[in-house]
Amino acid sequence: MFRTIAAFDRIGEENAFTVLARANALTAQGRDIINLGIGQPDFRTPDHIVEAAVKALRDGHHGYTPATGIPALREAVAADLHKRFAVNVSPDEVMIMPGGKPTMFMSILMFGEPGADILYPDPGFPIYRSMIEFTGARPVPVPIREENGFAFSAEETLKLITPQTRLLILNSPANPTGGVTPKTEVDKLVAGLEQWPDVAVMSDEIYDHMTYDGERHVCLLSYPSLRDRLILLNGWSKTYAMTGWRLGYAVWPGKLYDYARKLAVNLHSCVNAPAQYAGIAALTGPQDAVRSMVAEFDRRRKVVVAGLNKLPGITCATPKGAFYAFPNVGKTGWKAKALASSLLEEAGVAIIGGPDFGILGEGYVRLSYANSTENILKALDRMGDFLASRKAA
Ligand code: PLP
């Protein structure tokens, strides 16, 4: 019998995809399911972006592109970062990736091995921990606390750094909490990191357009002291409602760029050519679709938070970013994962249990409000009826 490497006993996955499959299976059986589980905008990709991909195919862009992406797209990314954050990035530092996830995969692969520590947010995007475990590195959770507005704490993060720490993963606006880390806290963290020049940072900023209540996103590229060890993860999936296109980008410092290029050549050769032309149209074209999508998320955010706070045993802090609410369900008497699965099976509402995002996720569930207000209100009603009639399992 063949023998695979032990790392596959340690790799995890993303339960949101399992819940999506179950929700779809129940729908196929005729059940009426409201899906607040998966993290993807419920909007179509704007037409002018779709048209750019169609045109690219008609124009004959059917072949390989450079492994790092077509130059015009890398230039558009650099110009967009300059326009939004006044940072100077050379197109030569930008690599086009097949989505946001491959940047975390590659960067964790570059730093993870037995004996190395990698710090990651808990609760946080599950792939961070999964990939850290895959490499054999030690996953060191950075607690993300409700009492801190689900921002990361500079002090707590810095205390966890040791000479074994190779990589620190940051994510703001955050999945699953919707937390946004304020500039004062980022400033403190970056100042503290000056004591640890050998620690690389991977900043996952995939929700950078989605902040509310006047909160402004802080791009880590703005800090000169980090530039030679900062990996920026970003992409089109959330901002332009393009999750299925598989289009993302990374900004890699120094020699990491060439490592990433080689990984790309070994792995996927290049990103789908028409998707890259669509990416140019997205960045250089009108941004009104992005603005109206974010405004709509903001309206739904208020509906979901107000509705959750009326449910027995549930309290929900107001998220400042992304499109998730992360209510505290501790006082319902339910364990978070049992609540999520019973709500799906019995009440037809798909949500994700907090423990799917880390140990500190117990006592919470994640709701994505990337669904219509009508469906959100219906889901809240169903949750209320369920909690009133059903004893905790
Ligand atoms: N990073 C975070 C924090 C996310 O929530 C997601 C998607 O849910 C990703 C990265 C991955 O994005 P993509 O679909 O472009 O791979």
Side-chain angles (χ1 to χ4, degrees):
M1 190 53 181
F2 54 70
R3 283 176 57 206
T4 55
I5 60 167
F8 284 101
D9 297 333
R10 300 190 301 264
I11 197 164
E13 56 182 317
E14 199 186 337
N15 204 32
F17 281 94
T18 317
V19 172
L20 178 64
R22 181 69 190 144
N24 288 343
L26 289 171
T27 307
Q29 288 167 18
R31 292 274 311 275
D32 170 23
I33 304 294
I34 301 172
N35 195 344
L36 306 183
I38 194 77
Q40 71 177 335
D42 56 319
F43 296 93
R44 288 166 57 98
T45 305
D47 285 346
H48 70 280
I49 301 176
V50 175
E51 288 310 318
V54 172
K55 181 173 183 309
L57 283 171
R58 295 230 161 88
D59 289 350
H61 295 292
H62 301 170
Y64 292 124
T65 77
T68 53
I70 54 180
L73 181 54
R74 290 194 279 128
E75 280 160 25
V77 168
D80 180 63
L81 288 168
H82 186 263
K83 186 174 76 191
R84 294 193 297 130
F85 304 117
V87 292
N88 290 316
V89 172
S90 158
D92 295 338
E93 297 171 284
V94 176
M95 186 169 309
I96 307 306
M97 307 287 288
K101 265 183 186 165
T103 301
M104 60 186 85
F105 185 96
M106 287 187 185
S107 43
I108 295 169
L109 214 55
M110 285 179 201
F111 291 97
E113 63 181 345
D117 284 2
I118 298 185
L119 272 57
Y120 69 101
D122 180 341
F125 192 56
I127 301 306
Y128 306 143
R129 184 179 176 114
S130 162
M131 274 307 298
I132 297 167
E133 303 235 39
F134 185 71
T135 64
R138 189 166 73 107
V140 180
V142 175
I144 303 295
R145 301 183 191 280
E146 180 180 355
E147 58 270 28
N148 202 20
F150 292 120
F152 55 78
S153 147
E155 196 185 329
E156 212 167 358
T157 308
L158 290 164
K159 272 197 196 136
L160 291 167
I161 299 179
T162 71
Q164 279 67 51
T165 309
R166 297 262 184 92
L167 179 67
L168 164 64
I169 299 175
L170 301 173
N171 173 221
S172 175
N175 178 6
T177 59
V180 173
T181 302
K183 182 168 183 305
T184 45
E185 206 61 24
V186 182
D187 287 349
K188 256 197 258 171
L189 179 74
V190 174
L193 282 171
E194 284 174 24
Q195 311 297 314
W196 297 100
D198 297 335
V199 174
V201 176
M202 200 262 298
S203 181
D204 180 344
E205 302 186 12
I206 199 129
Y207 296 100
D208 65 350
H209 280 264
M210 292 164 191
T211 55
Y212 313 106
D213 298 337
E215 202 71 44
R216 283 182 67 103
H217 175 69
V218 183
C219 178
L220 271 278
L221 287 170
S222 325
Y223 294 88
S225 71
L226 282 189
R227 277 303 290 274
D228 61 352
R229 52 183 163 132
L230 174 73
I231 303 154
L232 177 77
L233 179 161
N234 210 326
W236 287 256
S237 295
K238 316 286 175 177
T239 308
Y240 296 99
M242 293 176 74
T243 50
W245 293 70
R246 310 312 303 138
L247 187 65
Y249 69 84
V251 177
W252 298 100
K255 67 181 181 187
L256 298 191
Y257 192 90
D258 209 46
Y259 291 173
R261 182 190 62 75
K262 284 185 178 153
L263 279 173
V265 170
N266 277 269
L267 186 64
H268 58 266
S269 295
C270 66
V271 174
N272 169 308
Q276 294 191 56
Y277 284 89
I280 299 174
L283 293 179
T284 60
Q287 302 296 306
D288 34 325
V290 179
R291 280 190 286 273
S292 54
M293 184 170 74
V294 175
E296 178 59 22
F297 284 149
D298 190 11
R299 283 189 286 274
R300 296 174 186 176
R301 177 180 72 111
K302 291 171 182 145
V303 170
V304 87
V305 171
L308 285 167
N309 278 314
K310 286 192 192 124
L311 297 181
I314 296 187
T315 53
C316 184
T318 302
K320 298 274 187 187
F323 42 66
Y324 306 108
F326 202 61
N328 188 325
V329 297
K331 296 212 169 77
T332 60
W334 285 83
K335 286 275 191 199
K337 282 193 61 122
L339 178 61
S341 71
S342 301
L343 275 170
L344 175 57
E345 300 296 331
E346 297 175 34
V349 178
I351 59 172
I352 313 287
D356 285 334
F357 302 97
I359 296 156
L360 291 178
E362 185 52 84
Y364 297 88
V365 293
R366 186 191 80 174
L367 282 79
S368 156
Y369 47 87
N371 205 322
S372 67
T373 302
E374 189 193 344
N375 279 342
I376 289 168
L377 289 169
K378 223 195 290 176
L380 289 164
D381 276 349
R382 288 184 188 182
M383 288 172 72
D385 292 346
F386 177 89
L387 288 167
S389 63
R390 180 76 158 73
K391 277 219 155 47

